Amino acid sequence: VQAATAALQQEQGFPFFGKDLKLAYAKNKSDRIAKRDGTYVPKAKRRKQQQPNDTDGAQTQQESDAQQQQQQQQQQQQQSEEDGMQEPPSHILFAKDLPPECNQMMLGVIFRQYAGFKEVRTPRPGLAFVEFDDEPHATVALERLNGFKLTPTETLKLTYGKA
């Protein structure tokens, strides 16, 4: 409890991506702690609401899904054309057009949650290289974080770097 209190006091109000952190103690025990204590009680799982079996509705749903997929593919193609020549997959990601307030520590916090993360290097403002153990780990991070909102107006633009 003392370590948690010290961490809470030290990090309270820390500027993170232009906003002050607001930290508080957890209101309930996590499932992990409850299992360790032996007080864990499984919770009921949520059930999905079933839609009525209407063939016309199902058909229009399928059509709208197909249209959404086509739009996403077109956007990805346009984005790849804008990016110019695509690099082959590698274990290094290249981040460009970063806002000035985005530094090595902030990028490290974002990418550290992905397996295989090694380090972030910022050779100059606005550019960064993010290194992973291998290409599959880098690919997962690229797919999930490309387009991540760094600020209300700036997004993270990722491509593969040269190995």
Side-chain angles (χ1 to χ4, degrees):
V1 175
Q2 291 175 351
T5 302
L8 181 112
Q9 289 173 350
Q10 187 174 12
E11 297 299 324
Q12 191 75 359
F14 178 79
F16 187 68
F17 290 112
K19 295 184 179 181
D20 292 339
L21 282 178
K22 295 178 184 173
L23 303 174
Y25 292 107
K27 294 179 181 167
N28 300 331
K29 280 187 183 179
S30 69
D31 288 346
R32 181 72 128 176
I33 298 298
K35 285 179 183 177
R36 187 177 68 187
D37 292 348
T39 59
Y40 176 72
V41 178
K43 295 178 178 90
K45 294 185 179 182
R46 294 182 187 177
R47 294 183 183 174
K48 292 183 180 180
Q49 292 180 352
Q50 294 181 352
Q51 296 178 350
N53 291 339
D54 185 11
T55 56
D56 292 338
Q59 207 170 29
T60 56
Q61 179 67 28
Q62 290 174 351
E63 290 172 2
S64 66
D65 288 344
Q67 287 175 350
Q68 287 177 349
Q69 287 178 346
Q70 286 177 346
Q71 288 174 350
Q72 288 175 349
Q73 288 173 350
Q74 288 173 351
Q75 288 174 350
Q76 289 174 352
Q77 287 174 352
Q78 288 173 351
Q79 185 178 8
S80 65
E81 289 171 4
E82 290 173 2
D83 290 344
M85 187 173 170
Q86 291 280 33
E87 292 295 328
S90 86
H91 69 286
I92 297 175
L93 299 180
F94 176 64
K96 61 182 179 179
D97 301 332
L98 297 171
E101 62 269 10
C102 188
N103 60 27
Q104 198 167 352
M105 181 191 70
M106 290 178 177
L107 290 172
V109 168
I110 294 170
F111 285 97
R112 193 171 290 125
Q113 64 185 324
Y114 292 95
F117 171 77
K118 278 189 174 180
E119 67 174 337
V120 174
R121 294 185 302 275
T122 52
R124 64 178 185 256
L127 295 177
F129 293 97
V130 184
E131 187 173 352
F132 287 86
D133 288 332
D134 53 18
E135 182 267 323
H137 288 127
T139 300
V140 169
L142 180 131
E143 289 172 352
R144 303 238 172 98
L145 289 176
N146 197 19
F148 176 79
K149 281 193 133 196
L150 295 170
T151 67
T153 58
E154 300 284 334
T155 59
L156 186 60
K157 297 173 187 87
L158 293 172
T159 58
Y160 289 109
K162 295 181 181 177

